[in-house]
Amino acid sequence: MFSSKLKNIKYLIRKQQQQQQQQYLNYDKLFKNSLNINCNNKNYFCTSNTSSSSSSSSSSTTIISDSSNQDISNKEKEVKRIIDLLFSSQYHKNNLLIFKRFEEMKLPGMIESGIGIDASNMDTINQIKSYNQTKQSIEELNSLSKEFNDYLEVVEMSKNMGDNDWLKETRSLINQLFSNCCELEVKALMNGKDDSKGCFIEIQAGAGGNDSMDWTKILFEMYCKWGARKGYNVEIIDTADGEFGYRHASLKIDGHNAYGWMRTEMGIHRLIRISPFSSTGKRHTSFASVVVYPISDDSIKINIDSKDLHFETLRSSGAGGQHVNKTESAVRIVHIPTGISVLSSSERSQHQNKANGLSLLKSKLYSHELKKKIEAEKSFRDELGKNSWASDSVVRNYSMHPQERVKDQRTGIEVLQISKILDGEEELDNMIKKALSD
């Protein structure tokens, strides 16, 4: 649809260019002939030519507003950024390698001819399915790049003609191109096995005392704001209050691709600022660790035997008035074989906290099973495991002094507006996209 419309505009512009060239040739011929006739005829020609030129000029008086131009320019830059990002992404590089292996196996020729294809063999069927998906992904990106280059060519043609009507018509297509680009970007980046699922996020205060607890709360609020902005369902699972902020906090972000977005947040987050809790006014460094789990489903069976669980009830440490102080509504659950434990205290009902705790425990066990598999396969989640708790696993630095900036240690991307990152705005999306593409 987009390509055909763009081709049609290009055809019409070229046709108009040809007509103009022919008109200029006719004018040139007429001018030469006019040298052999009287001056009155020359004047008539000049008047006619001027009138025609004026008419042509008046047909191109459509003016695109400055604000519209700026919006179009921003979208053009964003489309170029996304295309460059996708071509340099590990996902695209892997697709090219996979497709090359299929070609070495001569699978494309076998599929086209039907010779050597055993339709009853599941391995063959899976290979064909993988080949088609890989081919489609490569072709989609190549097609998007070609469409953008065609768009830029038509825009340049319109500018050279000085025809604002055609320029406006062509640039109106950028919205569709931008939409297609964003859709392909998310599709390409969210390619992990569990990326389409929701997730649990656990944040633990590290070295830094009160500052680290305050930093843990700031990160917790950042992810809550981010999830709300993305339209996800955000649920507080547990918060363990410290003197200032949280010693520990966990939340659930439920929605399509929530885990895909959040999985690269796993690691150590470091904050550098003038401590609001220090009377000396010195710069202070705080640490908080972030761990992300996909919400489990039935694709991996997690069987929890009740005899393997230890339940403990305790009074909630969070806000809630007299009810919290009088009843032991918080629930801690320990899975004895693995030693994995969870604490749920956000609800007033002990039964609801128990249900939330079991859900989180199931997700942790699911993640535990995934980790065992992926360690053997040395895949992407194994790399995340190496970045989990070690001090050399800093994924991002947040600096408020001597200047404000946020730097991703893995990609080198820097953002100067730290408030936009901590408010979970689009700048955080861009950092995550770059980390996903590497």
Side-chain angles (χ1 to χ4, degrees):
M1 179 71 179
F2 178 85
S3 296
S4 60
K5 189 170 183 180
L6 197 59
K7 287 178 181 179
N8 186 47
I9 292 176
K10 185 188 289 188
Y11 168 77
L12 292 174
I13 290 177
R14 283 179 174 169
K15 186 176 180 180
Q16 186 172 332
Q17 283 178 325
Q18 291 172 356
Q19 289 174 346
Q20 287 181 344
Q21 289 174 355
Q22 186 61 45
Q23 190 176 21
Y24 294 150
L25 289 174
N26 292 339
Y27 285 160
D28 184 61
K29 184 178 179 180
L30 184 59
F31 178 74
K32 290 178 181 178
N33 291 336
S34 69
L35 295 176
N36 300 323
I37 58 179
N38 59 51
C39 183
N40 289 334
N41 286 338
K42 287 184 189 178
N43 291 337
Y44 173 78
F45 164 72
C46 293
T47 304
S48 176
N49 190 19
T50 304
S51 175
S52 175
S53 176
S54 175
S55 175
S56 175
S57 176
S58 65
S59 67
S60 302
T61 55
T62 306
I63 298 174
I64 306 174
S65 67
D66 291 339
S67 60
S68 178
N69 268 331
Q70 186 61 44
D71 180 60
I72 290 169
S73 178
N74 290 339
K75 286 183 177 178
E76 288 173 347
K77 290 177 182 178
E78 184 66 8
V79 169
K80 185 180 185 307
R81 182 196 68 81
I82 292 173
I83 291 175
D84 290 343
L85 181 71
L86 292 179
F87 269 115
S88 63
S89 69
Q90 193 61 45
Y91 172 73
H92 181 64
K93 293 175 183 176
N94 290 340
N95 278 339
L96 292 177
L97 289 174
I98 293 170
F99 191 78
K100 184 179 180 180
R101 286 200 292 267
F102 282 135
E103 286 184 325
E104 290 172 351
M105 295 166 54
K106 299 182 179 179
L107 187 62
M110 293 168 62
I111 294 174
E112 186 175 349
S113 64
I115 300 174
I117 299 295
D118 183 4
S120 61
N121 189 312
M122 284 303 299
D123 289 337
T124 302
I125 293 173
N126 289 334
Q127 278 187 344
I128 294 173
K129 183 178 179 181
S130 177
Y131 166 77
N132 289 332
Q133 290 175 343
T134 304
K135 181 182 178 183
Q136 181 182 359
S137 296
I138 295 173
E139 288 178 346
E140 282 179 342
L141 183 53
N142 289 336
S143 176
L144 185 65
S145 178
K146 184 180 183 304
E147 287 175 352
F148 183 57
N149 289 331
D150 288 343
Y151 163 82
L152 294 177
E153 181 185 351
V154 174
V155 168
E156 189 64 26
M157 290 168 63
S158 302
K159 287 180 178 179
N160 291 338
M161 287 179 62
D163 193 323
N164 282 331
D165 287 334
W166 278 123
L167 185 59
K168 183 179 180 181
E169 176 71 18
T170 303
R171 281 191 148 179
S172 67
L173 299 176
I174 192 61
N175 291 326
Q176 185 177 348
L177 187 60
F178 177 73
S179 176
N180 294 344
C181 212
C182 291
E183 184 178 338
L184 184 59
E185 179 187 30
V186 172
K187 181 180 177 181
L189 296 179
M190 306 298 166
N191 58 81
K193 179 181 177 182
D194 297 301
D195 283 356
S196 63
K197 298 176 182 176
C199 67
F200 285 102
I201 301 176
E202 289 190 340
I203 311 169
Q204 180 75 40
N210 289 335
D211 282 275
S212 288
M213 287 185 281
D214 185 49
W215 176 225
T216 297
K217 184 176 181 180
I218 292 172
L219 285 175
F220 175 82
E221 292 173 347
M222 178 182 79
Y223 292 127
C224 287
K225 292 174 184 177
W226 177 87
R229 182 180 66 81
K230 301 291 285 186
Y232 293 139
N233 181 32
V234 180
E235 181 181 348
I236 298 172
I237 300 300
D238 175 59
T239 56
D241 293 338
E243 186 176 354
F244 299 96
Y246 299 145
R247 296 191 305 273
H248 168 89
S250 57
L251 67 152
K252 177 181 179 181
I253 302 180
D254 197 6
H256 186 63
N257 287 335
Y259 177 71
W261 279 104
M262 287 284 97
R263 60 181 165 88
T264 58
E265 293 297 288
M266 189 166 175
I268 307 298
H269 294 246
R270 179 166 56 196
L271 173 68
I272 302 170
R273 66 174 178 177
I274 300 296
S275 173
F277 310 107
S278 172
S279 58
T280 61
K282 292 183 178 180
R283 192 169 67 171
H284 192 91
T285 302
S286 310
F287 296 87
S289 63
V290 176
V291 182
V292 184
Y293 308 96
I295 295 177
S296 66
D297 57 19
D298 295 331
S299 61
I300 291 182
K301 299 295 182 181
I302 303 297
N303 296 317
I304 302 178
D305 195 330
S306 58
K307 68 180 182 181
D308 292 333
L309 300 179
H310 173 70
F311 292 90
E312 181 182 354
T313 58
L314 58 158
R315 292 182 181 180
S316 173
S317 61
Q322 295 180 351
H323 175 82
V324 173
N325 296 326
K326 290 182 178 179
T327 63
E328 295 184 338
S329 58
V331 177
R332 178 182 286 117
I333 309 172
V334 180
H335 187 249
I336 299 172
T338 61
I340 295 174
S341 66
V342 297
L343 174 67
S344 179
S345 63
S346 62
E347 303 293 335
R348 289 193 172 193
S349 166
Q350 186 182 108
H351 294 291
Q352 186 62 51
N353 282 327
K354 181 179 179 181
N356 288 341
L358 286 172
S359 178
L360 176 56
L361 178 62
K362 189 175 181 182
S363 288
K364 282 193 173 186
L365 291 174
Y366 175 85
S367 180
H368 181 68
E369 291 301 316
L370 277 181
K371 188 176 180 181
K372 288 195 298 184
K373 289 183 179 181
I374 297 169
E375 280 175 353
E377 298 170 2
K378 296 182 179 180
S379 64
F380 181 66
R381 192 173 170 83
D382 179 51
E383 295 176 8
L384 287 181
K386 294 176 184 177
N387 285 334
S388 57
W389 298 97
S391 60
D392 60 348
S393 300
V394 175
V395 296
R396 197 174 294 140
N397 278 322
Y398 306 74
S399 177
M400 295 183 180
H401 184 82
Q403 69 176 106
E404 289 192 358
R405 69 171 182 171
V406 181
K407 182 176 181 179
D408 194 296
Q409 297 297 103
R410 301 158 297 181
T411 65
I413 294 294
E414 290 190 14
V415 175
L416 298 181
Q417 304 99 324
I418 189 172
S419 61
K420 291 185 177 295
I421 297 291
L422 297 181
D423 285 339
E425 295 186 15
E426 191 174 349
E427 284 74 9
L428 179 58
D429 286 354
N430 292 334
M431 276 199 155
I432 292 173
K433 287 175 184 177
K434 181 59 179 174
L436 286 169
S437 68
D438 283 0

